[in-house]
Amino acid sequence: MRPVENAALIQRWVEESGVRGYFDTPHLVFQAYSFEKGEYITSPDVPMDKLLFCIRGTIQIYGIRDDGGISPIGLARSPAILGDVEFGNGGKSPFFSQAKTNALCLALSTREYSEQLHRDLRFLHCLLRFYGEKLERFSTQSVTGTTVEQRVLQYLEKAAAPAACGDGKRYLAAALQPPAVAAGAEKTVPAGENRKGGERPLPPCCGW
């Protein structure tokens, strides 16, 4: 991990990525770090005290099974966020993450801004959405061996709760996709509300 020292360049990346759109807290100061291909970014034995916004490159996320084998979890491609699970878990990372290519991440210290982040409703709402997306993705991946009919029924059950799951047609269309396609479908995040009550769209960054 190599820190980027050019403050003007970091500021440009912050503006271009739109990461400030995830927060109501003003005047947050971001850092930036570059990672070489093959470099570990997070691991269960190292506490995580940052939110990382991947703005360039691809990051592999995986776990280790009891038998020592590798269990792939997913790929985090730009734009993506790392550290959201750790923020809600006292800094403990459940998975390993490793740069699959050279990667560049913006970083926000959760230690320095802990109090502000725990009071930032917009950020907390984003975390809930990220957690929900991860849970849905894991659930979708678990039906790899099921039939099309079974997947349709599963997604129809989700569509029966529109307040929680949104547009049922989207879920039905995803159910008819092969499992790998459905699991990797691009997620979209609807606009949120700012403190003044007007709509402010979220940037296109999402959880892995």
Side-chain angles (χ1 to χ4, degrees):
M1 180 176 70
R2 186 179 66 181
V4 177
E5 305 291 350
N6 189 324
L9 191 56
I10 294 174
Q11 181 62 26
R12 192 185 81 186
W13 290 335
V14 168
E15 297 302 325
E16 290 177 350
S17 65
V19 295
R20 292 194 188 278
Y22 283 108
F23 307 93
D24 281 330
T25 304
H27 312 305
L28 296 172
V29 178
F30 291 83
Q31 292 82 41
Y33 297 92
S34 61
F35 299 88
E36 295 184 356
K37 179 180 178 180
E39 185 175 358
Y40 286 96
I41 299 175
T42 64
S43 64
D45 61 328
V46 179
M48 180 70 163
D49 61 355
K50 298 179 181 65
L51 292 171
L52 294 177
F53 299 87
C54 178
I55 60 174
R56 193 177 300 165
T58 302
I59 298 170
Q60 175 74 60
I61 299 165
Y62 62 91
I64 302 295
R65 297 192 299 267
D66 291 339
D67 62 3
I70 293 177
S71 177
I73 303 298
L75 291 175
R77 294 186 176 90
S78 173
I81 181 173
L82 298 172
D84 53 335
V85 174
E86 289 81 355
F87 179 81
N89 194 33
K92 298 178 182 178
S93 179
F95 305 118
F96 292 87
S97 65
Q98 185 178 24
K100 192 174 180 65
T101 66
N102 290 342
L104 179 65
C105 295
L106 293 172
L108 182 69
S109 172
T110 54
R111 180 180 300 176
E112 180 179 352
Y113 292 110
S114 176
E115 183 177 349
Q116 295 94 320
L117 293 177
H118 278 94
R119 295 180 178 180
D120 193 315
L121 291 182
R122 186 173 178 82
F123 170 64
L124 295 176
H125 288 163
C126 288
L127 285 187
L128 289 176
R129 187 172 301 280
F130 294 155
Y131 296 159
E133 289 179 352
K134 288 178 171 64
L135 182 60
E136 180 183 349
R137 188 171 303 172
F138 293 152
S139 175
T140 303
Q141 289 173 341
S142 70
V143 300
T144 300
T146 62
T147 66
V148 171
E149 291 80 4
Q150 289 172 321
R151 296 202 301 275
V152 168
L153 288 175
Q154 181 186 30
Y155 279 93
L156 284 177
E157 288 176 357
K158 293 181 180 180
C165 298
D167 186 356
K169 293 181 180 178
R170 177 169 64 87
Y171 285 93
L172 180 59
L176 296 175
Q177 299 273 3
V181 175
E186 182 178 356
K187 306 290 183 180
T188 58
V189 182
E193 293 185 356
N194 61 20
R195 289 181 173 179
K196 296 182 180 179
E199 290 192 351
R200 179 158 55 96
L202 293 174
C205 182
C206 65
W208 40 265

